[in-house]
Amino acid sequence: MGLRARLSESRIVLAPGVYDALTAAIAADAGFEALYVSGAAIAYTRLGRPDIGLVSMTEVADHVARIADRVPTPLIVDADTGYGNALNVQRTVRAFERAGAAMIQLEDQTFPKRCGHLDGKGVIPMAEMVGKIRAAVDARRSAATLILARTDAVAIEGLEAAVQRAHAYAEAGADALFVEAPRTREDLARVTAALGGTRPLLANMVEGGRTPVLSAPELEAIGFRIVIFPGGIVRALARTARDYYASLASARTTEPFRDRMLDLAGLNDLIGTPEMLALGKKYDA
């Protein structure tokens, strides 16, 4: 089932964050119906730096292509601001669509952008973002490619202004809406009350962020149709890696950590080594 058809159902789509082919493969094996390719997670892991607009469009497109080659699961891809004006947005949409994105997220921040749960954000004029959404819709090759419009206006202009922006973005052709960083459960409910009949709505759950972290069933009951946990995998892996390296430095061996690791055979099973070797034999002379 395509993502557009899936979003016609009332049942919420839970999309975990991934940042490369390995995390995507593990998430797909867990049975998720969609995956969220997080720009922040790419910055954290590729650069070891924060989500402040340092990652380029071509770097993300390259990541998306590798992930799409590895898993068939629909990919919701974070395209930040579209990396420029309306013409840059069109190039971004074409590149991400070719790479394999099922849904492309565009936000109305000024450039350079920053994580939606950090202070100091700015937003472009609503009319400018409307033009960027229209440009994105015009640029896609297939109607199956969805445009997700995100507004960061809650932190700058307030919730009512953010809802007004989201309505305008829907009228410009966005297929789904994302109001970033509501502050309370009540604010989340206000978003769905104001926009729920307009387009499918996405909720962003960030551990330690501005929005209270609710479960997928709780968000479904409020009226959201998609929920992402974009950076959770990086936070989980970062803690594990910190503990692993501390253990190795202290014990001078991996033995104390072995029960928290895959062995070589386990990793090979996870990444499909036996299947790949069997496939190669099919083409032997």
Side-chain angles (χ1 to χ4, degrees), residues 30-185:
F32 292 101
E33 298 176 274
L35 306 176
Y36 182 80
V37 183
S38 165
I42 292 173
Y44 301 156
T45 57
R46 187 177 180 94
L47 304 180
R49 292 298 186 186
D51 180 23
I52 53 173
L54 299 175
V55 180
S56 71
M57 182 272 281
T58 53
E59 286 177 301
V60 178
D62 185 54
H63 258 59
V64 173
R66 288 195 173 104
I67 292 169
D69 186 60
R70 180 64 178 85
V71 300
T73 312
L75 303 177
I76 303 170
V77 180
D78 181 2
D80 287 349
T81 64
Y83 309 96
N85 64 14
L87 297 180
N88 296 106
V89 164
Q90 291 199 315
R91 181 168 182 251
T92 297
V93 167
R94 288 193 293 266
F96 284 18
E97 187 178 39
R98 285 195 304 270
M103 176 182 278
I104 300 168
Q105 173 192 308
L106 296 163
E107 65 196 40
D108 58 5
Q109 281 198 50
T110 53
F111 187 84
K113 60 78 50 89
R114 61 179 59 200
C115 170
H117 292 255
L118 291 177
D119 292 331
K121 296 186 296 182
V123 290
I124 63 176
M126 181 171 67
E128 181 180 350
M129 184 62 179
V130 164
K132 292 172 77 168
I133 296 297
R134 291 173 52 214
V137 171
D138 287 346
R140 64 185 172 188
R141 305 294 188 191
S142 169
T145 304
L146 306 179
I147 303 301
L148 168 63
R150 164 176 150 177
T151 178
D152 284 73
V154 170
I156 300 99
E157 301 173 346
L159 187 64
E160 290 186 11
V163 166
Q164 181 183 4
R165 281 174 173 262
H167 273 297
Y169 302 162
E171 291 175 3
D175 301 290
L177 301 172
F178 173 4
V179 176
E180 175 66 301
R183 298 287 180 135
T184 65
R185 186 188 185 109

Side-chain angles (χ1 to χ4, degrees), residues 206-285:
V206 177
E207 302 81 4
R210 304 295 189 193
T211 305
V213 176
L214 305 182
S215 70
E218 288 176 301
L219 290 163
E220 181 180 303
I222 293 173
F224 287 94
R225 305 283 279 284
I226 312 169
V227 55
I228 59 173
F229 289 79
I233 183 60
V234 181
R235 283 182 278 280
L237 290 176
R239 178 170 178 174
T240 299
R242 186 181 61 186
D243 292 347
Y244 166 80
Y245 288 121
S247 174
L248 180 57
S250 174
R252 317 304 288 178
T253 175
T254 58
E255 285 304 314
F257 215 81
R258 284 287 295 275
D259 63 348
R260 298 175 61 184
M261 300 167 60
L262 294 174
D263 63 10
L264 182 59
L267 181 60
N268 279 325
D269 285 341
L270 178 69
I271 61 178
T273 301
E275 295 83 358
M276 293 293 288
L277 294 176
L279 180 63
K281 288 183 178 179
K282 175 181 176 181
Y283 301 106
D284 284 349

